[in-house]
Coordinates of all heavy atoms in Angstrom, one line a residue:
N1242 N 185.5 187.0 262.2 CA 184.0 186.9 262.0 C 183.4 186.5 263.4 O 182.3 187.0 263.8 CB 183.6 185.9 261.0 CG 183.6 186.5 259.6 OD1 182.8 187.3 259.4 ND2 184.6 186.2 258.8
K1251 N 176.6 195.2 263.8 CA 176.2 194.7 262.5 C 177.1 195.2 261.3 O 177.3 194.5 260.4 CB 174.8 194.9 262.2 CG 173.8 194.3 263.1 CD 174.0 192.7 263.1 CE 173.0 192.1 264.0 NZ 173.2 190.7 264.1
V1252 N 177.5 196.4 261.3 CA 178.4 196.9 260.3 C 179.7 196.2 260.4 O 180.3 195.8 259.3 CB 178.7 198.4 260.4 CG1 179.8 199.0 259.5 CG2 177.4 199.3 260.2
V1253 N 180.3 196.0 261.5 CA 181.6 195.3 261.6 C 181.4 193.8 261.1 O 182.2 193.3 260.4 CB 182.1 195.3 263.2 CG1 183.2 194.3 263.3 CG2 182.4 196.7 263.6
E1254 N 180.2 193.2 261.5 CA 179.9 191.9 261.1 C 179.9 191.8 259.6 O 180.5 190.9 259.0 CB 178.6 191.4 261.7 CG 178.6 190.9 263.1 CD 177.3 190.4 263.6 OE1 176.7 189.5 262.8 OE2 176.7 190.9 264.5
A1255 N 179.2 192.7 258.9 CA 179.1 192.8 257.5 C 180.4 192.9 256.8 O 180.7 192.1 255.8 CB 178.1 193.8 257.1
V1256 N 181.2 193.9 257.3 CA 182.5 194.1 256.7 C 183.5 193.0 256.9 O 184.2 192.6 256.0 CB 183.2 195.4 257.2 CG1 184.5 195.6 256.8 CG2 182.3 196.6 256.8
M1257 N 183.4 192.3 258.0 CA 184.3 191.1 258.3 C 183.8 189.9 257.4 O 184.7 189.2 256.9 CB 184.3 190.7 259.7 CG 184.9 191.6 260.7 SD 186.6 192.0 260.4 CE 186.6 193.7 259.9
L1258 N 182.6 189.8 257.2 CA 182.0 188.8 256.3 C 182.4 188.9 254.9 O 182.9 188.0 254.2 CB 180.5 188.7 256.4 CG 179.8 187.5 255.8 CD1 180.3 186.2 256.4 CD2 178.4 187.7 255.8
I1259 N 182.5 190.2 254.4 CA 183.0 190.4 253.1 C 184.5 190.1 253.1 O 184.9 189.5 252.0 CB 182.7 191.9 252.7 CG1 181.2 192.2 252.5 CG2 183.4 192.3 251.4 CD1 180.8 193.6 252.5
G1260 N 185.2 190.5 254.0 CA 186.7 190.3 254.1 C 186.9 188.7 254.1 O 187.8 188.3 253.3
G1262 N 184.9 186.4 252.9 CA 184.5 185.8 251.6 C 185.6 186.2 250.6 O 185.9 185.3 249.7
G1273 N 182.9 181.8 248.6 CA 183.5 183.2 249.0 C 182.6 184.3 248.5 O 182.3 185.3 249.1
L1274 N 182.3 184.2 247.2 CA 181.4 185.3 246.5 C 180.1 185.4 247.1 O 179.5 186.5 247.4 CB 181.3 184.9 245.0 CG 180.8 186.1 244.2 CD1 181.5 187.4 244.3 CD2 180.7 185.7 242.7
E1275 N 179.5 184.2 247.5 CA 178.2 184.3 248.2 C 178.3 185.0 249.5 O 177.5 185.8 249.8 CB 177.7 182.8 248.5 CG 177.2 182.0 247.3 CD 177.0 180.6 247.6 OE1 177.1 180.1 248.8 OE2 176.6 179.8 246.7
L1276 N 179.3 184.7 250.3 CA 179.5 185.5 251.6 C 179.8 186.9 251.3 O 179.2 187.8 252.2 CB 180.7 184.8 252.4 CG 180.5 183.4 252.9 CD1 181.8 183.0 253.5 CD2 179.3 183.3 253.8
M1277 N 180.4 187.3 250.3 CA 180.7 188.8 250.0 C 179.4 189.3 249.7 O 179.1 190.5 250.2 CB 181.7 188.8 248.8 CG 183.1 188.4 249.2 SD 184.2 188.4 247.7 CE 184.4 190.2 247.5
H1278 N 178.5 188.7 248.9 CA 177.1 189.4 248.6 C 176.3 189.4 249.8 O 175.6 190.4 250.0 CB 176.5 188.5 247.5 CG 177.0 188.9 246.1 ND1 176.6 190.0 245.6 CD2 177.8 188.2 245.3 CE1 177.2 190.2 244.3 NE2 177.8 189.0 244.1
E1279 N 176.4 188.4 250.6 CA 175.7 188.3 251.8 C 176.0 189.6 252.8 O 175.2 190.2 253.3 CB 175.8 187.1 252.6 CG 175.0 186.9 253.9 CD 175.4 185.6 254.6 OE1 175.5 184.6 253.9 OE2 175.4 185.6 255.9
G1280 N 177.3 189.6 253.0 CA 177.9 190.8 253.8 C 177.6 192.2 253.2 O 177.2 193.0 253.9
Y1281 N 177.6 192.3 251.9 CA 177.3 193.5 251.2 C 175.8 193.9 251.4 O 175.5 195.1 251.7 CB 177.7 193.6 249.8 CG 177.5 195.0 249.2 CD1 178.4 196.0 249.5 CD2 176.5 195.2 248.4 CE1 178.2 197.3 249.0 CE2 176.3 196.5 247.8 CZ 177.1 197.5 248.2 OH 177.0 198.8 247.6
A1282 N 174.9 192.9 251.2 CA 173.6 193.2 251.4 C 173.2 193.6 252.9 O 172.4 194.5 253.1 CB 172.7 191.9 251.0
T1283 N 173.9 193.0 253.8 CA 173.7 193.3 255.2 C 174.2 194.7 255.4 O 173.5 195.5 256.1 CB 174.4 192.3 256.2 OG1 173.9 191.0 255.9 CG2 174.3 192.7 257.6
Y1284 N 175.3 195.1 254.9 CA 175.8 196.4 255.0 C 174.9 197.5 254.5 O 174.6 198.5 255.1 CB 177.3 196.5 254.4 CG 177.9 197.8 254.5 CD1 178.6 198.1 255.6 CD2 177.8 198.8 253.4 CE1 179.1 199.4 255.7 CE2 178.4 199.9 253.5 CZ 179.0 200.3 254.7 OH 179.6 201.6 254.9
R1285 N 174.4 197.2 253.3 CA 173.5 198.2 252.7 C 172.2 198.3 253.5 O 171.6 199.4 253.6 CB 173.2 197.7 251.3 CG 174.3 198.2 250.3 CD 174.3 199.7 250.1 NE 175.6 200.1 250.0 CZ 176.2 201.1 250.6 NH1 175.6 202.0 251.4 NH2 177.4 201.6 250.3
Q1286 N 171.7 197.2 254.1 CA 170.5 197.3 254.9 C 170.7 198.2 256.1 O 169.9 199.0 256.5 CB 170.1 195.9 255.4 CG 169.4 195.0 254.4 CD 169.2 193.7 254.8 OE1 169.7 193.3 255.9 NE2 168.4 192.9 254.0
I1287 N 171.9 198.1 256.7 CA 172.2 199.0 257.9 C 172.5 200.4 257.5 O 172.0 201.3 258.1 CB 173.4 198.4 258.6 CG1 173.2 197.0 259.1 CG2 173.9 199.3 259.7 CD1 174.3 196.2 259.4
V1288 N 173.4 200.6 256.5 CA 173.9 201.9 256.2 C 172.9 202.7 255.3 O 172.7 203.9 255.3 CB 175.2 201.9 255.6 CG1 175.9 203.2 255.1 CG2 176.2 201.2 256.6
Q1300 N 183.8 198.2 249.4 CA 183.1 196.8 249.4 C 182.6 196.4 248.0 O 182.7 195.4 247.6 CB 182.0 196.7 250.5 CG 182.5 196.9 251.8 CD 183.8 196.3 252.2 OE1 184.0 195.1 251.9 NE2 184.7 196.9 252.9
L1304 N 183.6 193.3 245.7 CA 182.5 192.4 245.0 C 182.8 192.4 243.5 O 182.7 191.3 242.8 CB 181.1 193.0 245.2 CG 180.4 192.5 246.4 CD1 179.1 193.2 246.5 CD2 180.2 191.0 246.3

Side-chain angles (χ1 to χ4, degrees):
N1242 277 289
K1251 295 298 181 189
V1252 172
V1253 172
E1254 284 184 52
V1256 171
M1257 292 301 116
L1258 190 58
I1259 294 166
L1274 193 55
E1275 287 171 2
L1276 291 177
M1277 291 173 73
H1278 277 287
E1279 181 183 326
Y1281 186 73
T1283 300
Y1284 179 81
R1285 279 291 148 222
Q1286 287 173 348
I1287 297 161
V1288 176
Q1300 301 314 319
L1304 269 178

